[in-house]
């Protein structure tokens, strides 16, 4: 199985900060990397697919990059509604695997 | 509107069984792979199982293989997860998720249900 490792596990930031989360795959996955946002009591929400494509309806302050084994999710100017946990997920092979999550908290 | 609605969760004793259902609407159910993804309390997301379009191919996480069975009824637009020999560590919210795949773009889980809570406890 492909292992996905995110860093950091958590970070404390302020509104309007720029946030970058990294995700590393245990083997090359091309651009088969997705990012999800999760809030307590709600289903995960797809933000970015194919490493850098923005899902319909997601604000443009979210962006993704990378290929092969190293990927990033960037929030250009954090808004109050963005405090949540973010997960990367590889869709290169089954079983699909997720990173352990990055919790973005208010400083 | 695409909708996935899980049901069937609840409290069960260790060693017991439950059958989860996921009712789909708003799209052609038989055209999509569907996943069961779970989240234990305070933990991350884990893919438990998946099934392909017609049910001819399935996968399971090592932790549930031999105990859980995924199936689908495309005529009823419904996905199932039969869970046997349940353990305390199976306690989680279980989500069903549709996997979208389009030309030039990789697969992604673009629609999720609201989840159903399974609690395994004596």
């Amino acid at each position: 199985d492909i292992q996905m490792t995110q860093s950091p596990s958590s970070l404390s930031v302020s509104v309007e900060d720029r946030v970058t989360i990294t995700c590393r795959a245990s083997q090359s996955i091309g651009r088969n990397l997705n990012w999800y946002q999760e809030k307590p009591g709600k289903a995960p929400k797809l933000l970015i697919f194919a490493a850098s494509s923005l899902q319909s309806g997601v604000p443009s302050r979210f962006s993704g990059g990378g290929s092969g084994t190293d990927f990033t999710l960037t929030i250009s100017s954090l808004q109050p509604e963005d405090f949540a946990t973010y997960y990367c997920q590889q869709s290169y092979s089954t079983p699909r695997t997720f990173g352990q999550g990055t919790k973005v908290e208010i400083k | 509107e695409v909708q996935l609605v899980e049901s069937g969760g609840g409290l069960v004793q260790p060693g017991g069984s439950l059958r989860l259902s996921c009712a789909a609407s708003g799209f052609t159910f038989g055209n999509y792979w569907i996943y069961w993804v779970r989240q234990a309390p305070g933990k991350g997301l884990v893919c438990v199982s998946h099934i392909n379009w017609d049910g001819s191919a399935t996968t399971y996480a090592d932790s549930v293989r031999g105990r859980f069975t995924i199936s689908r009824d495309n005529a009823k637009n419904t996905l199932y997860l039969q869970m046997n020999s349940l353990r305390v560590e199976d306690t989680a919210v279980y989500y069903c998720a549709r996997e979208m795949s389009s030309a030039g773009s990789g697969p992604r889980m673009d629609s999720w249900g609201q989840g159903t809570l399974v609690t395994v406890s004596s």
Side-chain angles (χ1 to χ4, degrees):
Chain A
D1 298 0
I2 297 175
Q3 306 302 315
M4 307 301 294
T5 304
Q6 287 180 235
S7 61
S9 296
S10 65
L11 64 164
S12 296
V13 296
S14 301
V15 174
E16 298 185 355
D17 281 355
R18 182 181 181 88
V19 172
T20 299
I21 299 168
T22 64
C23 178
R24 176 164 287 176
S26 60
Q27 67 181 72
S28 178
I29 58 171
R31 293 179 61 81
N32 293 288
L33 191 284
N34 308 313
W35 290 97
Y36 301 85
Q37 177 192 66
E38 187 207 23
K39 295 182 178 180
K42 294 201 169 183
K45 174 186 174 183
L46 176 66
L47 299 176
I48 301 285
F49 63 94
S52 61
S53 295
L54 194 66
Q55 173 70 355
S56 176
V58 174
S60 59
R61 61 181 179 273
F62 290 92
S63 64
S67 65
T69 60
D70 293 310
F71 302 87
T72 58
L73 172 70
T74 298
I75 310 171
S76 59
S77 176
L78 197 79
Q79 298 302 297
E81 60 268 30
D82 300 335
F83 289 98
T85 301
Y86 295 85
Y87 294 90
C88 63
Q89 176 238 339
Q90 64 81 18
S91 58
Y92 178 80
S93 65
T94 55
R96 307 300 193 218
T97 45
F98 291 87
Q100 80 279 15
T102 296
K103 188 173 184 179
V104 177
E105 300 174 298
I106 301 172
K107 183 183 286 184
Chain B
E1 178 191 7
V2 173
Q3 273 203 315
L4 296 166
V5 180
E6 302 94 338
S7 61
L11 175 63
V12 62
Q13 292 188 337
S17 297
L18 276 178
R19 187 196 200 199
L20 306 184
S21 298
C22 170
S25 61
F27 64 102
T28 304
F29 182 66
N31 287 354
Y32 293 86
W33 289 17
I34 308 290
Y35 288 76
W36 285 104
V37 178
R38 74 183 180 185
Q39 185 172 37
K43 302 294 186 181
L45 300 170
V46 176
C47 282
V48 170
S49 182
H50 108 277
I51 190 166
N52 72 343
W53 307 278
D54 61 2
S56 61
T58 60
T59 63
Y60 298 92
D62 288 345
S63 58
V64 307
R65 187 175 294 114
R67 301 186 297 122
F68 290 10
T69 302
I70 191 171
S71 61
R72 67 190 298 163
D73 185 335
N74 287 345
K76 295 183 177 179
N77 292 335
T78 304
L79 173 77
Y80 303 100
L81 186 68
Q82 178 66 43
M83 304 187 297
N84 298 331
S85 303
L86 281 161
R87 304 169 180 170
V88 171
E89 55 265 34
D90 294 320
T91 295
V93 174
Y94 286 73
Y95 298 99
C96 59
R98 181 184 84 164
E99 186 173 80
M100 161 74 79
S101 185
S102 53
S105 293
R108 62 273 191 189
M109 297 179 193
D110 69 327
S111 295
W112 297 64
Q114 83 289 350
T116 187
L117 176 63
V118 172
T119 303
V120 185
S121 175
S122 55

